[in-house]
Amino acid sequence: MVECCCASTRRAGTRRGVLEQDQEECTTSRLRNASKSRELKDRVGAQRSIREAFEWAYDGRPMRRSLWPTVGDEFQAIFFSLGDALLTTSLVRLALPEGVDCRFGLGRGETVDVDEWAPGTIQDGSAWWNAREAIEETHRREHGTEPYLRSWFVSNKEGESGTAALVKGFLLLRDASISSMRPRDRRLTAGTLLGYSQTELARQEGVTQSAVSQSLRRSGGAALLAAHQELRKGQLR
């Protein structure tokens, strides 16, 4: 499986131990190749397509830290807000080629660098633990009664149960919609999320503007765009 942790962060204070360490309050996400990665003929190519999809999805948008590999097939990234993480993970699923899909575990908590002298950044904290719990819950649900599901959210932040429920509901509907889309539907939906007009998308696909409009309504792409617009209005952090 390929995993990716994504986090939205803001300063939360310090923790004292042998050394004083900076903590960040975060929303994290673990991404995992939802197909059986060991059975893929080109595992390297699949991982490359995931990295390219992330680069394309957050091109031009600020990130706390861009995608980086960790152990095995795992990747991590850090966002400034939960809204950014939701939009980027939507775009990544829409951009991936046929035969490659991902699971995302989103988690709110804290991150802390545990060894500033290590060759690469080593992080710990509840944000990553919650992300792990979320990816495991995604896997359990996907192999249970919700086979279309690819994402979940876990938060240990006090007073955030309402936000957590909202995000989980959004993820259930988002993933059901994207999982049922055909390749062209995904391309058109991604284009609308990035701000392209239906006329521009029609030109790219070699179809009429009316065909684009019908595709977006039929596939749920128009509804997904509206949902993200409402989340943006609420300034989801």
Short mmCIF file of all heavy atoms in Angstrom, two decimals, residues 170-214:
data_model
loop_
_atom_site.label_atom_id
_atom_site.label_comp_id
_atom_site.label_asym_id
_atom_site.label_seq_id
_atom_site.Cartn_x
_atom_site.Cartn_y
_atom_site.Cartn_z
N PHE A 170 -19.07 14.68 4.59
CA PHE A 170 -18.57 15.15 3.29
C PHE A 170 -17.75 14.06 2.62
O PHE A 170 -17.89 13.81 1.41
CB PHE A 170 -17.73 16.40 3.49
CG PHE A 170 -16.97 16.82 2.27
CD1 PHE A 170 -17.59 17.52 1.24
CD2 PHE A 170 -15.62 16.50 2.12
CE1 PHE A 170 -16.88 17.89 0.10
CE2 PHE A 170 -14.91 16.87 0.99
CZ PHE A 170 -15.55 17.57 -0.02
N LEU A 171 -16.85 13.40 3.36
CA LEU A 171 -15.98 12.39 2.77
C LEU A 171 -16.77 11.19 2.24
O LEU A 171 -16.44 10.64 1.19
CB LEU A 171 -14.95 11.92 3.80
CG LEU A 171 -13.91 12.96 4.21
CD1 LEU A 171 -13.06 12.45 5.36
CD2 LEU A 171 -13.03 13.37 3.03
N LEU A 172 -17.81 10.79 2.96
CA LEU A 172 -18.65 9.68 2.49
C LEU A 172 -19.28 10.02 1.14
O LEU A 172 -19.25 9.20 0.20
CB LEU A 172 -19.73 9.38 3.52
CG LEU A 172 -19.30 8.58 4.76
CD1 LEU A 172 -20.34 8.71 5.86
CD2 LEU A 172 -19.10 7.12 4.39
N LEU A 173 -19.86 11.21 1.03
CA LEU A 173 -20.51 11.60 -0.21
C LEU A 173 -19.50 11.86 -1.32
O LEU A 173 -19.71 11.50 -2.48
CB LEU A 173 -21.38 12.84 0.03
CG LEU A 173 -22.59 12.62 0.94
CD1 LEU A 173 -23.27 13.94 1.25
CD2 LEU A 173 -23.57 11.65 0.30
N ARG A 174 -18.37 12.50 -0.98
CA ARG A 174 -17.34 12.77 -1.98
C ARG A 174 -16.81 11.49 -2.58
O ARG A 174 -16.71 11.36 -3.81
CB ARG A 174 -16.20 13.55 -1.34
CG ARG A 174 -15.06 13.85 -2.31
CD ARG A 174 -13.81 14.35 -1.62
NE ARG A 174 -13.04 13.29 -0.98
CZ ARG A 174 -11.83 13.47 -0.44
NH1 ARG A 174 -11.29 14.68 -0.44
NH2 ARG A 174 -11.19 12.47 0.12
N ASP A 175 -16.45 10.54 -1.73
CA ASP A 175 -15.84 9.32 -2.23
C ASP A 175 -16.82 8.47 -3.01
O ASP A 175 -16.45 7.81 -4.00
CB ASP A 175 -15.23 8.52 -1.08
CG ASP A 175 -13.97 9.17 -0.53
OD1 ASP A 175 -13.49 10.14 -1.16
OD2 ASP A 175 -13.46 8.71 0.49
N ALA A 176 -18.07 8.45 -2.59
CA ALA A 176 -19.08 7.72 -3.34
C ALA A 176 -19.22 8.29 -4.75
O ALA A 176 -19.34 7.56 -5.74
CB ALA A 176 -20.43 7.76 -2.63
N SER A 177 -19.18 9.62 -4.84
CA SER A 177 -19.30 10.28 -6.14
C SER A 177 -18.09 9.99 -7.03
O SER A 177 -18.24 9.56 -8.17
CB SER A 177 -19.46 11.79 -5.93
OG SER A 177 -19.55 12.47 -7.17
N ILE A 178 -16.89 10.21 -6.50
CA ILE A 178 -15.69 10.02 -7.31
C ILE A 178 -15.51 8.56 -7.71
O ILE A 178 -15.10 8.26 -8.84
CB ILE A 178 -14.45 10.54 -6.56
CG1 ILE A 178 -14.54 12.06 -6.38
CG2 ILE A 178 -13.16 10.17 -7.29
CD1 ILE A 178 -13.39 12.67 -5.60
N SER A 179 -15.81 7.63 -6.81
CA SER A 179 -15.63 6.22 -7.10
C SER A 179 -16.50 5.75 -8.26
O SER A 179 -16.16 4.77 -8.94
CB SER A 179 -15.92 5.37 -5.86
OG SER A 179 -14.95 5.59 -4.86
N SER A 180 -17.62 6.43 -8.49
CA SER A 180 -18.53 6.02 -9.57
C SER A 180 -18.28 6.76 -10.89
O SER A 180 -18.93 6.47 -11.89
CB SER A 180 -19.98 6.26 -9.13
OG SER A 180 -20.25 7.65 -8.98
N MET A 181 -17.33 7.70 -10.89
CA MET A 181 -17.07 8.51 -12.09
C MET A 181 -16.26 7.76 -13.14
O MET A 181 -15.37 6.97 -12.81
CB MET A 181 -16.32 9.79 -11.73
CG MET A 181 -17.14 10.82 -10.99
SD MET A 181 -16.14 12.30 -10.67
CE MET A 181 -17.31 13.30 -9.75
N ARG A 182 -16.56 8.05 -14.40
CA ARG A 182 -15.73 7.58 -15.51
C ARG A 182 -14.54 8.52 -15.68
O ARG A 182 -14.54 9.63 -15.15
CB ARG A 182 -16.58 7.52 -16.78
CG ARG A 182 -17.72 6.51 -16.72
CD ARG A 182 -18.60 6.56 -17.93
NE ARG A 182 -19.30 7.84 -18.04
CZ ARG A 182 -20.23 8.10 -18.95
NH1 ARG A 182 -20.59 7.16 -19.83
NH2 ARG A 182 -20.81 9.28 -19.00
N PRO A 183 -13.52 8.10 -16.43
CA PRO A 183 -12.32 8.93 -16.59
C PRO A 183 -12.61 10.36 -17.05
O PRO A 183 -12.06 11.31 -16.50
CB PRO A 183 -11.49 8.16 -17.60
CG PRO A 183 -11.85 6.73 -17.35
CD PRO A 183 -13.32 6.75 -17.05
N ARG A 184 -13.48 10.53 -18.05
CA ARG A 184 -13.77 11.89 -18.52
C ARG A 184 -14.50 12.69 -17.44
O ARG A 184 -14.23 13.89 -17.27
CB ARG A 184 -14.61 11.87 -19.80
CG ARG A 184 -15.02 13.28 -20.26
CD ARG A 184 -15.79 13.28 -21.55
NE ARG A 184 -14.90 13.06 -22.68
CZ ARG A 184 -15.33 12.98 -23.95
NH1 ARG A 184 -16.63 13.08 -24.22
NH2 ARG A 184 -14.47 12.78 -24.92
N ASP A 185 -15.41 12.05 -16.73
CA ASP A 185 -16.11 12.74 -15.64
C ASP A 185 -15.11 13.27 -14.62
O ASP A 185 -15.24 14.39 -14.11
CB ASP A 185 -17.08 11.79 -14.93
CG ASP A 185 -18.20 11.30 -15.83
OD1 ASP A 185 -18.58 12.06 -16.75
OD2 ASP A 185 -18.69 10.19 -15.60
N ARG A 186 -14.09 12.47 -14.31
CA ARG A 186 -13.08 12.89 -13.33
C ARG A 186 -12.28 14.08 -13.86
O ARG A 186 -12.00 15.02 -13.12
CB ARG A 186 -12.15 11.72 -13.00
CG ARG A 186 -12.84 10.59 -12.24
CD ARG A 186 -11.83 9.57 -11.74
NE ARG A 186 -12.48 8.51 -10.99
CZ ARG A 186 -11.89 7.75 -10.08
NH1 ARG A 186 -10.60 7.95 -9.80
NH2 ARG A 186 -12.54 6.81 -9.43
N ARG A 187 -11.90 14.02 -15.11
CA ARG A 187 -11.13 15.14 -15.67
C ARG A 187 -11.94 16.42 -15.65
O ARG A 187 -11.42 17.50 -15.31
CB ARG A 187 -10.70 14.81 -17.11
CG ARG A 187 -9.70 13.68 -17.23
CD ARG A 187 -9.06 13.66 -18.61
NE ARG A 187 -10.01 13.48 -19.68
CZ ARG A 187 -10.40 12.30 -20.15
NH1 ARG A 187 -9.93 11.19 -19.61
NH2 ARG A 187 -11.26 12.21 -21.16
N LEU A 188 -13.20 16.34 -16.03
CA LEU A 188 -14.04 17.54 -16.06
C LEU A 188 -14.29 18.08 -14.65
O LEU A 188 -14.27 19.30 -14.43
CB LEU A 188 -15.38 17.22 -16.73
CG LEU A 188 -15.31 16.88 -18.23
CD1 LEU A 188 -16.68 16.46 -18.76
CD2 LEU A 188 -14.78 18.07 -19.03
N THR A 189 -14.50 17.19 -13.69
CA THR A 189 -14.70 17.62 -12.32
C THR A 189 -13.46 18.29 -11.77
O THR A 189 -13.52 19.35 -11.11
CB THR A 189 -15.09 16.43 -11.43
OG1 THR A 189 -16.29 15.83 -11.94
CG2 THR A 189 -15.33 16.87 -10.00
N ALA A 190 -12.29 17.70 -12.04
CA ALA A 190 -11.04 18.32 -11.60
C ALA A 190 -10.87 19.70 -12.21
O ALA A 190 -10.46 20.65 -11.53
CB ALA A 190 -9.86 17.43 -11.98
N GLY A 191 -11.21 19.83 -13.48
CA GLY A 191 -11.09 21.12 -14.14
C GLY A 191 -11.98 22.18 -13.52
O GLY A 191 -11.56 23.33 -13.33
N THR A 192 -13.21 21.81 -13.17
CA THR A 192 -14.11 22.79 -12.55
C THR A 192 -13.60 23.19 -11.17
O THR A 192 -13.70 24.35 -10.77
CB THR A 192 -15.54 22.24 -12.44
OG1 THR A 192 -15.55 21.06 -11.62
CG2 THR A 192 -16.10 21.91 -13.80
N LEU A 193 -13.04 22.23 -10.40
CA LEU A 193 -12.50 22.56 -9.09
C LEU A 193 -11.31 23.51 -9.18
O LEU A 193 -11.06 24.30 -8.28
CB LEU A 193 -12.07 21.28 -8.36
CG LEU A 193 -13.19 20.38 -7.85
CD1 LEU A 193 -12.61 19.10 -7.25
CD2 LEU A 193 -14.06 21.09 -6.82
N LEU A 194 -10.59 23.44 -10.31
CA LEU A 194 -9.44 24.32 -10.51
C LEU A 194 -9.83 25.65 -11.13
O LEU A 194 -8.97 26.50 -11.36
CB LEU A 194 -8.40 23.62 -11.39
CG LEU A 194 -7.65 22.45 -10.72
CD1 LEU A 194 -6.78 21.74 -11.74
CD2 LEU A 194 -6.82 22.93 -9.55
N GLY A 195 -11.12 25.82 -11.43
CA GLY A 195 -11.59 27.11 -11.91
C GLY A 195 -11.72 27.26 -13.41
O GLY A 195 -11.99 28.36 -13.91
N TYR A 196 -11.55 26.18 -14.17
CA TYR A 196 -11.72 26.26 -15.62
C TYR A 196 -13.20 26.38 -15.97
O TYR A 196 -14.05 25.76 -15.32
CB TYR A 196 -11.13 25.03 -16.30
CG TYR A 196 -9.62 24.98 -16.28
CD1 TYR A 196 -8.95 24.23 -15.32
CD2 TYR A 196 -8.86 25.67 -17.22
CE1 TYR A 196 -7.56 24.18 -15.28
CE2 TYR A 196 -7.49 25.62 -17.20
CZ TYR A 196 -6.84 24.88 -16.22
OH TYR A 196 -5.47 24.83 -16.18
N SER A 197 -13.50 27.14 -17.00
CA SER A 197 -14.89 27.28 -17.44
C SER A 197 -15.31 26.04 -18.24
O SER A 197 -14.46 25.28 -18.73
CB SER A 197 -15.05 28.52 -18.32
OG SER A 197 -14.38 28.35 -19.56
N GLN A 198 -16.61 25.85 -18.35
CA GLN A 198 -17.10 24.72 -19.13
C GLN A 198 -16.70 24.84 -20.60
O GLN A 198 -16.44 23.83 -21.26
CB GLN A 198 -18.62 24.62 -19.01
CG GLN A 198 -19.07 24.22 -17.61
CD GLN A 198 -20.57 23.96 -17.54
OE1 GLN A 198 -21.27 23.93 -18.55
NE2 GLN A 198 -21.07 23.78 -16.33
N THR A 199 -16.61 26.05 -21.10
CA THR A 199 -16.17 26.26 -22.48
C THR A 199 -14.73 25.82 -22.67
O THR A 199 -14.38 25.15 -23.66
CB THR A 199 -16.31 27.74 -22.87
OG1 THR A 199 -17.68 28.15 -22.74
CG2 THR A 199 -15.85 27.98 -24.31
N GLU A 200 -13.86 26.17 -21.71
CA GLU A 200 -12.46 25.75 -21.79
C GLU A 200 -12.33 24.23 -21.70
O GLU A 200 -11.55 23.61 -22.43
CB GLU A 200 -11.66 26.40 -20.66
CG GLU A 200 -11.48 27.90 -20.81
CD GLU A 200 -10.83 28.52 -19.58
OE1 GLU A 200 -11.29 28.26 -18.46
OE2 GLU A 200 -9.85 29.28 -19.76
N LEU A 201 -13.11 23.62 -20.82
CA LEU A 201 -13.06 22.17 -20.67
C LEU A 201 -13.58 21.47 -21.92
O LEU A 201 -13.04 20.44 -22.33
CB LEU A 201 -13.87 21.75 -19.45
CG LEU A 201 -13.31 22.20 -18.09
CD1 LEU A 201 -14.31 21.89 -16.98
CD2 LEU A 201 -11.98 21.53 -17.81
N ALA A 202 -14.62 22.04 -22.52
CA ALA A 202 -15.15 21.46 -23.76
C ALA A 202 -14.11 21.48 -24.86
O ALA A 202 -13.96 20.51 -25.62
CB ALA A 202 -16.41 22.23 -24.19
N ARG A 203 -13.36 22.58 -24.94
CA ARG A 203 -12.30 22.69 -25.96
C ARG A 203 -11.21 21.64 -25.72
O ARG A 203 -10.73 21.01 -26.65
CB ARG A 203 -11.72 24.10 -25.93
CG ARG A 203 -10.74 24.39 -27.08
CD ARG A 203 -10.19 25.80 -26.99
NE ARG A 203 -11.24 26.80 -26.94
CZ ARG A 203 -11.49 27.58 -25.91
NH1 ARG A 203 -10.74 27.48 -24.81
NH2 ARG A 203 -12.46 28.46 -25.93
N GLN A 204 -10.84 21.45 -24.46
CA GLN A 204 -9.81 20.47 -24.13
C GLN A 204 -10.25 19.04 -24.46
O GLN A 204 -9.44 18.22 -24.90
CB GLN A 204 -9.46 20.56 -22.65
CG GLN A 204 -8.78 21.86 -22.25
CD GLN A 204 -8.60 21.96 -20.74
OE1 GLN A 204 -8.76 20.99 -20.01
NE2 GLN A 204 -8.26 23.15 -20.26
N GLU A 205 -11.53 18.74 -24.25
CA GLU A 205 -12.04 17.39 -24.46
C GLU A 205 -12.55 17.16 -25.88
O GLU A 205 -12.86 16.03 -26.26
CB GLU A 205 -13.17 17.10 -23.47
CG GLU A 205 -12.72 17.02 -22.02
CD GLU A 205 -11.91 15.78 -21.72
OE1 GLU A 205 -12.06 14.76 -22.45
OE2 GLU A 205 -11.11 15.80 -20.76
N GLY A 206 -12.69 18.22 -26.65
CA GLY A 206 -13.20 18.08 -28.00
C GLY A 206 -14.68 17.77 -28.05
O GLY A 206 -15.15 17.03 -28.93
N VAL A 207 -15.44 18.35 -27.09
CA VAL A 207 -16.89 18.14 -27.04
C VAL A 207 -17.56 19.50 -26.93
O VAL A 207 -16.90 20.54 -26.86
CB VAL A 207 -17.29 17.25 -25.85
CG1 VAL A 207 -16.67 15.85 -25.99
CG2 VAL A 207 -16.86 17.88 -24.52
N THR A 208 -18.88 19.51 -26.86
CA THR A 208 -19.61 20.76 -26.72
C THR A 208 -19.71 21.17 -25.25
O THR A 208 -19.58 20.33 -24.34
CB THR A 208 -21.03 20.64 -27.30
OG1 THR A 208 -21.77 19.69 -26.53
CG2 THR A 208 -20.98 20.19 -28.75
N GLN A 209 -19.97 22.46 -25.04
CA GLN A 209 -20.17 22.95 -23.67
C GLN A 209 -21.37 22.27 -23.03
O GLN A 209 -21.36 21.96 -21.82
CB GLN A 209 -20.35 24.47 -23.68
CG GLN A 209 -20.58 25.10 -22.31
CD GLN A 209 -22.05 25.09 -21.91
OE1 GLN A 209 -22.93 25.20 -22.76
NE2 GLN A 209 -22.32 24.95 -20.61
N SER A 210 -22.40 21.99 -23.82
CA SER A 210 -23.58 21.31 -23.31
C SER A 210 -23.24 19.91 -22.81
O SER A 210 -23.75 19.46 -21.77
CB SER A 210 -24.64 21.22 -24.40
OG SER A 210 -25.78 20.51 -23.95
N ALA A 211 -22.34 19.23 -23.53
CA ALA A 211 -21.93 17.88 -23.11
C ALA A 211 -21.18 17.93 -21.78
O ALA A 211 -21.34 17.05 -20.93
CB ALA A 211 -21.06 17.24 -24.18
N VAL A 212 -20.36 18.97 -21.59
CA VAL A 212 -19.64 19.13 -20.33
C VAL A 212 -20.63 19.36 -19.20
O VAL A 212 -20.53 18.74 -18.12
CB VAL A 212 -18.65 20.31 -20.41
CG1 VAL A 212 -18.07 20.63 -19.04
CG2 VAL A 212 -17.54 20.00 -21.39
N SER A 213 -21.60 20.24 -19.41
CA SER A 213 -22.59 20.54 -18.39
C SER A 213 -23.38 19.30 -17.99
O SER A 213 -23.60 19.03 -16.80
CB SER A 213 -23.55 21.63 -18.90
OG SER A 213 -24.55 21.91 -17.95
N GLN A 214 -23.78 18.52 -18.99
CA GLN A 214 -24.54 17.30 -18.71
C GLN A 214 -23.70 16.29 -17.94
O GLN A 214 -24.19 15.63 -17.02
CB GLN A 214 -25.02 16.69 -20.03
CG GLN A 214 -26.07 17.50 -20.74
CD GLN A 214 -26.42 16.93 -22.11
OE1 GLN A 214 -26.14 15.77 -22.40
NE2 GLN A 214 -27.02 17.76 -22.96
#
